[in-house]
Amino acid sequence: MPYKIYTIDPLLALYKDDINLRMDSYHSKRKELLGDTASLCDFANAYNYFGFHKNEAGWVYREWAPAADELFLTGDFNGWDMYSHPMTRLDNGVFEIILNGSDALNVGQKVQLIVKHKQDILRRIPLYATRVVQDPNTNLWCAEIDNTFDTFEWTDSSFTPDKTPFIYECHIGMAQDKYGIGSYEEFRTLTLPRIKDLGYNTIQIMAIMEHPYYGSFGYQVSNFFAASSRYGSSEDLKRLINTAHKMGIAVLLDVVHSHAVKNTNEGLNMFDGTEYQFFHTGDKGNHPAWDTKLFNYGKNEVLHFLLSNLKYWMDVFHFDGFRFDGVTSMLYHDHGLGSAFCNYDMYFSMNTDIEAITYLQLANELIHEFNPKALTVAEDMSGMPGMCIPIEDGGIGFDFRLSMGVPDLWIKTLKEVPDEHWDIWKLWYELTGRRPHEKNIGYCESHDQALVGDKTIMFRLCDAEMYTSMNKFNPSIVIDRGIALHKLIRLVTASLAGEGYLNFMGNEFGHPEWIDFPREGNGWSYHYCRRQWNLVDNKELRYEELNRFDKAMVSILKENDVLSKEAHSLWIHPADKVLIYRKGDTIFAFNFNPTQSFADYFIPTHKEGTFKVGLSSDSSLYGGHDRVDTDYIYDAGKYPDGRYGFMCYLPSRSAIVFKLTE
């Protein structure tokens, strides 16, 4: 029986052999791992067997190191004696040690693993360590006995995520105003209330899995089962997630299974003395652009590790799903580097990594089997067909993909085209063009556009004027233009570019400057590695106006369930720079014209009725000029030419959202 994906996109019929090969790989690997009866949830339990676990007999520690000749556990429990506690070799490269009595472990003790491989004596951090800490004096990392698996009093059993995600992308460490690293507790008490007030119903947390280099933004993971100790304890993270659920906010983990840090002392690399334990050998195992290690997704033990990792974060920490980082790199043997993906042949060739696709299918099956309400998002810039099609229909099984071309569109437009020359047809095409039956997360900028070397949208629009003219009592043409376009770009993107929406923390109020983590080149400064909430809290500055607009925008999009509705263009006029469309019964009217306002502009509707203004970007509350009467009721009647609509004043550089009242 042919897969449904061929009817969703008839062009894919030309590539049946490729898609059938993927599906055959998925089914055969699934059977190889599970047999005929087991489920992926039963399979992905490595974290309950490996690592440190307390039981009636004391502590049991198990490790997988197939190429090791001997393993020894060392730590402050035995005075760091390297060889006093040998581990017993079991089957299949598994080692075990049981500790009780005088050498029993206690929470807070530091431990390391000693690996003997041929002539080498290697210090390693246990693979399933749930807490990894750095010594402030030596800067060396080691595992710490943690109470991660102790019972936590969760109160979120009734929580159900909203179907339409409004995602607030965030980073715990840089989420505070202070010059330093923020904590889970500070985020819970200080930042979550801001997110709740703005109306976002989902947070996507970056840099949770432990990483030795803070400046990697969390994308060079060393310890996959350890929540970063920089921000606090495992219990602190659980309390944060539990509080978010109480607020009605789902929590996604930004998961990095596309690669791993190459460090040997801290990470997976050369853990048992070989490079092939987790990764491909030779050049195939090294990412040429990221200088990191690449997983061998064809190896069953690697699949066991990665799938168990996903279940662990859902089971132990109650994460509601994942944003998968670097999916493009996983999909292709050349990692998509330098590829334009301008035709379907580029998706289906010898360059496609079938084993990686099989892993992503298994991962999505596991996640939704464990939690049918879970959400998965793919970061794929290639536009791989079927990414968000169900597995049984021939797809890869993600719920959403990021609309990664949209930020590129805005950057290119802002850099190269004055707004008086913006192509309104192109904006419509780029913001609405996506694969059928595949849901997208729309966004105009994320953390990627805020990194040092790049610029946020607000900084591109206003640049140095932000340092001198964001005061409400110091009028500036540059700032006025920047604020107006910042609102228009966000509203048109949020309403058109996807079935969900994403914003990086602080960008909603036009956070100035870039993100630059402490490093040698900046004197290890935290100046640019924080969020300056003091700016939006200062009533004398205009950041407050943008913040109010973002809150109002999210509210009206949620109130009318706009993102689930199909977009219909009602009027596109390139010369006027006017774009009008509807989603359901909600009408969006944009005038991108920098100089010309239009009196009595015809607003087409799809039927008769009365409409009122639900949101005007020109309101003084949002830094506008109050040129729109928000109390006026518009009667949409039938005109002689058969069209329905009403006449309205449409100010320059403004947008109006009209709601049907009856």
Side-chain angles (χ1 to χ4, degrees):
M1 183 176 178
Y3 294 109
K4 188 177 177 182
I5 194 171
Y6 302 126
T7 59
I8 292 173
D9 186 350
L11 282 176
L12 295 177
L14 298 172
Y15 303 92
K16 276 189 177 182
D17 289 344
D18 297 272
I19 292 176
N20 289 342
L21 177 63
R22 298 180 187 185
M23 296 309 298
D24 289 346
S25 173
Y26 158 74
H27 288 297
S28 63
K29 179 59 73 173
R30 191 182 187 282
K31 186 169 184 178
E32 182 182 335
L33 295 175
L34 309 179
D36 294 321
T37 56
S39 72
L40 280 170
C41 276
D42 295 331
F43 171 75
N45 282 324
Y47 61 93
N48 287 324
Y49 179 78
F50 292 107
F52 294 89
H53 297 278
K54 194 172 185 180
N55 56 28
E56 299 79 10
W59 286 86
V60 60
Y61 165 51
R62 299 187 188 94
E63 197 62 84
W64 177 61
D69 298 317
E70 295 180 88
L71 296 186
F72 301 85
L73 184 64
T74 185
D76 49 17
F77 74 97
N78 68 355
W80 294 99
D81 188 313
M82 290 176 62
Y83 304 117
S84 65
H85 285 72
M87 299 180 69
T88 302
R89 179 184 282 275
L90 307 178
D91 295 331
N92 302 317
V94 176
F95 292 77
E96 179 184 83
I97 187 171
I98 298 173
L99 302 107
N100 51 37
S102 60
D103 62 2
L105 298 172
N106 294 305
V107 170
Q109 288 184 322
K110 311 293 191 299
V111 295
Q112 287 182 339
L113 186 67
I114 304 298
V115 178
K116 276 192 174 183
H117 174 256
K118 298 181 180 179
Q119 304 303 315
D120 296 325
I121 306 297
L122 311 170
R123 283 189 178 269
R124 296 290 184 260
I125 293 176
L127 291 176
Y128 290 81
T130 56
R131 183 171 174 82
V132 179
V133 297
Q134 186 176 29
D135 186 290
N137 298 314
T138 66
N139 289 328
L140 297 177
W141 293 79
C142 64
E144 184 176 280
I145 303 302
D146 190 22
N147 57 358
T148 296
F149 293 105
D150 286 359
T151 301
F152 177 82
E153 294 185 14
W154 293 97
T155 60
D156 62 350
S157 58
S158 62
F159 172 71
T160 299
D162 290 346
K163 291 183 179 180
T164 300
F166 286 82
I167 301 173
Y168 200 82
E169 185 185 39
C170 49
H171 182 286
I172 300 295
M174 58 175 292
Q176 304 310 316
D177 214 321
K178 66 182 183 181
Y179 289 79
I181 298 176
S183 68
Y184 296 123
E185 186 63 15
E186 287 172 322
F187 190 94
R188 184 182 74 86
T189 58
L190 300 176
T191 311
L192 271 181
R194 292 181 183 272
I195 298 169
K196 172 66 175 176
D197 181 64
L198 285 169
Y200 289 87
N201 58 22
T202 307
I203 56 175
Q204 175 184 300
I205 313 183
M206 310 166 63
I208 290 295
M209 301 158 77
E210 192 61 85
H211 47 291
Y213 179 45
Y214 189 47
S216 76
F217 227 138
Y219 289 123
Q220 294 192 10
V221 174
S222 53
N223 313 104
F224 285 74
F225 290 83
S228 181
S229 59
R230 290 181 178 90
Y231 318 132
S233 68
S234 296
E235 185 166 305
D236 291 339
L237 176 56
K238 292 177 183 177
R239 191 177 299 111
L240 186 165
I241 295 170
N242 195 52
T243 300
H245 287 166
K246 284 182 184 177
M247 293 179 170
I249 298 172
V251 186
L252 304 182
L253 175 66
D254 198 342
V255 71
V256 186
H257 282 182
S258 49
H259 61 136
V261 71
K262 68 177 183 180
N263 301 29
T264 54
N265 290 336
E266 296 92 2
L268 308 182
N269 190 21
M270 302 290 290
F271 180 81
D272 68 353
T274 67
E275 64 175 329
Y276 56 79
Q277 183 181 4
F278 285 95
F279 308 115
H280 290 292
T281 58
D283 290 342
K284 189 176 180 181
N286 299 306
H287 197 291
W290 299 342
D291 195 25
T292 50
K293 300 299 294 182
L294 298 172
F295 287 106
N296 181 353
Y297 302 109
K299 195 170 181 178
N300 290 353
E301 293 86 352
V302 173
L303 294 178
H304 192 214
F305 180 86
L306 294 176
L307 292 171
S308 297
N309 188 235
L310 295 173
K311 184 182 173 188
Y312 165 81
W313 290 108
M314 292 188 291
D315 181 17
V316 176
F317 287 92
H318 288 207
F319 277 96
D320 301 293
F322 304 91
R323 179 265 202 186
F324 279 71
D325 175 70
V327 169
T328 306
S329 176
M330 300 171 71
L331 294 175
Y332 309 99
H333 293 300
D334 68 358
H335 314 298
L337 298 174
S339 296
F341 296 100
C342 53
N343 63 71
Y344 273 35
D345 290 344
M346 303 185 77
Y347 302 117
F348 305 101
S349 66
M350 296 299 292
N351 186 36
T352 306
D353 191 333
I354 301 298
E355 291 175 344
I357 291 176
T358 296
Y359 166 65
L360 292 172
Q361 291 173 310
L362 292 170
N364 275 293
E365 180 185 349
L366 166 69
I367 293 164
H368 294 105
E369 178 185 325
F370 183 83
N371 179 7
K373 303 171 187 173
L375 180 71
T376 59
V377 181
E379 188 211 30
D380 170 37
M381 53 74 62
S382 75
M384 168 67 77
M387 184 66 69
C388 302
I389 298 295
I391 299 167
E392 61 268 24
D393 294 334
I396 299 177
F398 282 93
D399 296 298
F400 292 86
R401 71 191 322 148
L402 291 174
S403 292
M404 298 188 71
V406 175
D408 293 340
L409 164 73
W410 287 120
I411 290 171
K412 186 176 178 63
T413 300
L414 291 172
K415 285 173 66 174
E416 300 178 3
V417 185
D419 55 302
E420 61 266 26
H421 298 309
W422 284 8
D423 186 335
I424 305 303
W425 273 109
K426 182 178 180 180
L427 290 182
W428 170 260
Y429 173 79
E430 295 285 354
L431 293 174
T432 58
R434 44 190 177 269
R435 298 197 178 281
H437 296 262
E438 298 200 43
K439 293 192 290 187
N440 284 37
I441 300 293
Y443 65 109
C444 48
E445 56 182 342
S446 68
H447 72 276
D448 287 326
Q449 287 72 44
L451 289 169
V452 64
D454 207 337
K455 291 183 179 181
T456 63
I457 285 176
M458 191 59 179
F459 217 37
R460 285 191 185 280
L461 289 167
C462 301
D463 221 336
E465 285 274 319
M466 293 190 73
Y467 295 114
T468 59
S469 305
M470 284 298 283
N471 193 297
K472 292 179 181 177
F473 312 106
N474 183 23
S476 162
I477 295 175
V478 172
I479 297 297
D480 272 353
R481 171 185 178 270
I483 285 178
L485 289 179
H486 192 271
K487 291 179 290 186
L488 297 190
I489 289 169
R490 291 183 122 59
L491 180 59
V492 75
T493 301
S495 58
L496 280 183
E499 291 72 30
Y501 176 67
L502 178 142
N503 166 68
F504 179 67
M505 63 176 182
N507 285 359
E508 70 277 3
F509 66 81
H511 197 287
E513 303 177 326
W514 47 82
I515 299 165
D516 191 10
F517 281 81
R519 55 187 174 86
E520 188 175 1
N522 64 17
W524 303 104
S525 171
Y526 286 92
H527 179 79
Y528 297 109
C529 195
R530 60 196 180 101
R531 295 287 91 178
Q532 299 181 56
W533 305 110
N534 67 89
L535 297 175
V536 74
D537 293 340
N538 188 332
K539 304 299 181 185
E540 295 184 355
L541 300 179
R542 303 194 65 180
Y543 299 102
E544 176 191 37
E545 299 166 344
L546 291 176
N547 199 66
R548 281 202 206 106
F549 178 78
D550 198 80
K551 179 178 179 179
M553 177 186 78
V554 170
S555 176
I556 198 165
L557 294 178
K558 289 171 66 177
E559 174 190 335
N560 297 281
D561 197 20
V562 166
L563 301 196
S564 69
K565 306 291 196 305
E566 185 179 355
H568 298 273
S569 65
L570 300 174
W571 182 249
I572 299 176
H573 199 290
D576 290 348
K577 304 298 178 193
V578 170
L579 170 64
I580 304 174
Y581 55 91
R582 73 175 178 90
K583 300 194 80 178
D585 288 331
T586 306
I587 308 292
F588 294 80
F590 287 80
N591 180 7
F592 288 96
N593 200 305
T595 57
Q596 189 171 0
S597 299
F598 299 101
D600 294 328
Y601 206 88
F602 181 71
I603 306 296
T605 62
H606 54 300
K607 59 183 177 181
E608 292 181 302
T610 59
F611 289 80
K612 68 174 297 183
V613 175
L615 176 65
S616 167
S617 72
D618 195 54
S619 168
S620 59
L621 280 172
Y622 316 132
H625 304 286
D626 279 334
R627 292 171 290 175
V628 175
D629 185 348
T630 56
D631 295 323
Y632 190 80
I633 302 297
Y634 297 89
D635 290 313
K638 188 173 184 179
Y639 280 66
D641 60 3
R643 292 186 299 166
Y644 297 100
F646 56 85
M647 307 302 289
C648 173
Y649 177 58
L650 204 54
S652 60
R653 281 194 186 131
S654 71
I656 308 173
V657 183
F658 298 97
K659 298 193 300 181
L660 183 70
T661 61
E662 61 178 67

